[in-house]
Amino acid sequence: MCGRFAASRKPEDLTGLFGVEKWEPTETLEPDWNVAPTKEVYAVLERPVKDADDRRPVRQMRSLKWGLVPSWSKTPEGAARMINARAETVHEKPSFRRAFAQRRCILPADGYYEWVTGAEERQLEEKKGKKRARKQPYFVTPADGSVFAMAGLYEFWRDPTLPGEHENAWWVTCSVITTEAETTPLAVAPAEGPGALADIHPRMPLMLTPDRWDTWLDPSHTDPDELRALLEPPPGGLMRAYPVATAVSNVRNNGPELLEELAAPEEATLF
């Protein structure tokens, strides 16, 4: 699963890294260390530039709303629930299959947050059935400090309540593709806590290694069977995970301090 992530890199750094040809500075976003569903995020994609004579696909970086609204949806109300698409079924689910074939993107991040319920707390919750378990957040990020290039999909949705010329008549939304979490040991594991990503949560965002970026973004690739080969998880042992303060559990909290590593998991703060 991916329900929260951090994205603090400067747009000029991302455009250079991904070989972006077109970027509108008016779409600049502030660094965000606590990205939650429905927020605006950067997406790297390839498509023709609107109203350009040259219809070749151009690599662009756009700001999109996180939470995909299918083009056929009558309302955008379900967007907050469409933040993730499972790699195993993305090619067949009505909400995602057209975007998977034609509108793939990369969502650059520093890393993502995931919450772990301690074994003792989980047993207490199951026994009493009332108390909400304490959950410890972990931050997962590439061990070498590189960008976490999450595989994503994007879609266009036309708001039927607005005239065509209205600036908000068209929504462009996105979703993060997830896969089974790695069971191989972390490249850097905390002294106390999980030794593999699967110990934190059974799902994780699908990270695309640089050798897959071009093929993934190329809209000329539309065959679902060929595209599914790109959904293979990256090699194991590329990630590190460490405990962070439970302040990240509140979406109103935002700042680089959320990424600071704790010496040990917190014990007394309720999620």
Side-chain angles (χ1 to χ4, degrees), residues 135-178:
K135 294 189 177 183
Q136 172 61 52
Y138 282 79
F139 187 64
V140 181
T141 186
D144 63 2
S146 60
V147 67
F148 195 120
M150 299 187 294
L153 307 174
Y154 69 98
E155 189 59 276
F156 292 90
W157 180 76
R158 171 74 167 83
D159 188 341
T161 66
L162 297 175
E165 66 276 7
H166 195 283
E167 62 178 1
N168 296 323
W170 285 95
W171 290 35
V172 191
T173 59
C174 60
S175 185
V176 175
I177 295 179
T178 66

Side-chain angles (χ1 to χ4, degrees), residues 15-16 23 36 48 66 68 86 100 109 117 124 132 145 155 164 167 170-171 183 190 192 227 230 255:
T15 54
W23 156 247
W66 184 24
L68 189 139
R86 295 174 68 93
F100 177 59
T117 302
L124 183 62
R132 195 175 187 187
E155 189 59 276
E167 62 178 1
W170 285 95
W171 290 35
T183 57
E192 298 179 31
L227 292 170
L230 300 175

Side-chain angles (χ1 to χ4, degrees), residues 45-86:
L45 53 89
E46 288 188 6
R47 63 179 294 106
V49 175
K50 184 179 180 182
D51 299 328
D53 294 332
D54 187 349
R55 302 310 295 163
R56 69 178 179 89
V58 173
R59 186 165 298 184
Q60 309 173 41
M61 191 166 77
R62 302 281 302 276
S63 59
L64 313 183
K65 186 182 292 291
W66 184 24
L68 189 139
V69 181
S71 60
W72 44 260
S73 181
K74 293 182 178 179
T75 70
E77 294 177 358
R81 297 190 300 272
M82 294 285 206
I83 60 172
N84 294 161
R86 295 174 68 93

